Amino acid sequence: MQVRVYDDGAERDCLFVLGWGNRCRHENVQWLVDRVAERYRVHAVELPTHITDVQREWVDPVREYAAELDEFAVLAHSAGGLTTAHADLDGVTNRVYLSPWWGSDFPLPDPVVDAIASLPVRTPCIPTGNIEAETIGDLATDAQLADGPDAASPAFLRTTRRAHATLPPARENAVAFCTLTDEVVDPRAIGARLPADRIRLYDGGHELFSSSARTRHVDAVLDALAEGPAAL
């Protein structure tokens, strides 16, 4: 796990846990970091890509890092949303999730997915497919797409499916931004965990910060970080 701190003198802290394959060097990630850094000291967390244990390799390192912070807001995208949903963190003011990965909609029958996930293989060998820019967001860059994971291991599939199945109840200070046409995560899993008045919909791809809609919603994201569900 890598953490980059963006400190422009703000008095408040924000723990921003990025999604699977997101990196701070990506232009669109940096766009959002810059907006958040206008109000917060941003602790941007890059999750390791090829893992075999969500708890040990994602949740525990994030929890240990957050233990050094006092009061802070949580901003989490995709796999970051899965990670922080499992993390029992002290001092959190509000939680804002961007397209949280709380469930997947595989184009295969569940028994087939279960069989693949049961294989004792840790090497990434399951192609993720050619994800197009529109799937991520119309502003997605070539470099960003090239950095995206092109394969996953059965062990990765197994541990993330287990993490989806064991999600704790959503916290009362949590809100989510998502698109109903998301092809990366299952938006139905978001609706199953949060009531409609704590969900803000947008038109675009999986990454709000890589979609043209970002300029219409970024202020709402920042307000939700500060005020929680009341901001929606």
Side-chain angles (χ1 to χ4, degrees):
M1 188 182 85
Q2 299 290 326
V3 181
R4 297 179 185 274
V5 179
Y6 298 83
D7 187 355
D8 291 336
E11 296 182 358
R12 296 177 292 177
D13 289 294
C14 177
L15 181 67
F16 180 17
V17 185
L18 306 181
W20 194 46
N22 287 149
R23 295 294 178 258
C24 293
R25 64 176 177 270
H26 293 159
E27 178 181 329
N28 292 312
V29 171
Q30 193 62 54
W31 179 89
L32 182 55
V33 168
D34 288 344
R35 304 288 86 70
V36 179
E38 294 172 3
R39 305 188 190 184
Y40 295 89
R41 182 185 304 107
V42 181
H43 305 258
V45 177
E46 298 179 350
L47 297 174
T49 302
H50 299 298
I51 66 163
T52 60
D53 190 315
V54 165
Q55 183 69 40
R56 176 170 54 82
E57 297 174 83
W58 283 355
V59 178
D60 288 347
V62 168
R63 177 179 51 77
E64 291 168 7
Y65 183 87
E68 301 298 319
L69 303 176
D70 293 323
E71 189 175 87
F72 60 98
V74 168
L75 178 62
H77 170 65
S78 197
L82 177 61
T83 300
T84 54
H86 274 282
D88 188 11
L89 306 174
D90 294 328
V92 177
T93 55
N94 296 300
R95 295 170 180 253
V96 177
Y97 295 107
L98 307 179
S99 306
W101 188 24
W102 290 339
S104 297
D105 186 18
F106 294 106
L108 295 170
D110 283 344
V112 175
V113 179
D114 290 340
I116 296 172
S118 68
L119 296 173
V121 178
R122 297 189 173 197
T123 303
C125 59
I126 306 169
T128 57
N130 294 322
I131 298 180
E132 299 180 355
E134 290 294 331
T135 300
I136 299 300
D138 61 319
L139 301 179
T141 65
D142 291 340
Q144 182 180 346
L145 295 174
D147 279 348
D150 55 9
S153 71
F156 177 86
L157 184 60
R158 181 166 58 253
T159 191
T160 52
R161 280 170 67 80
R162 185 182 302 118
H164 292 153
T166 58
L167 277 165
R171 275 72 170 185
E172 293 184 358
N173 60 357
V175 303
F177 290 73
C178 68
T179 174
L180 294 179
T181 58
D182 201 318
E183 298 179 32
V184 178
V185 305
D186 187 354
R188 294 173 299 182
I190 302 171
R193 286 179 54 76
L194 290 176
D197 62 356
R198 287 202 270 150
I199 298 174
R200 174 67 62 87
L201 299 179
Y202 67 88
D203 293 322
H206 174 58
E207 296 179 355
L208 173 59
F209 47 87
S210 294
S211 302
S212 295
R214 67 189 189 182
T215 56
R216 296 194 299 275
H217 293 278
V218 67
D219 285 341
V221 169
L222 295 173
D223 290 343
L225 283 172
E227 304 170 25
L232 301 187

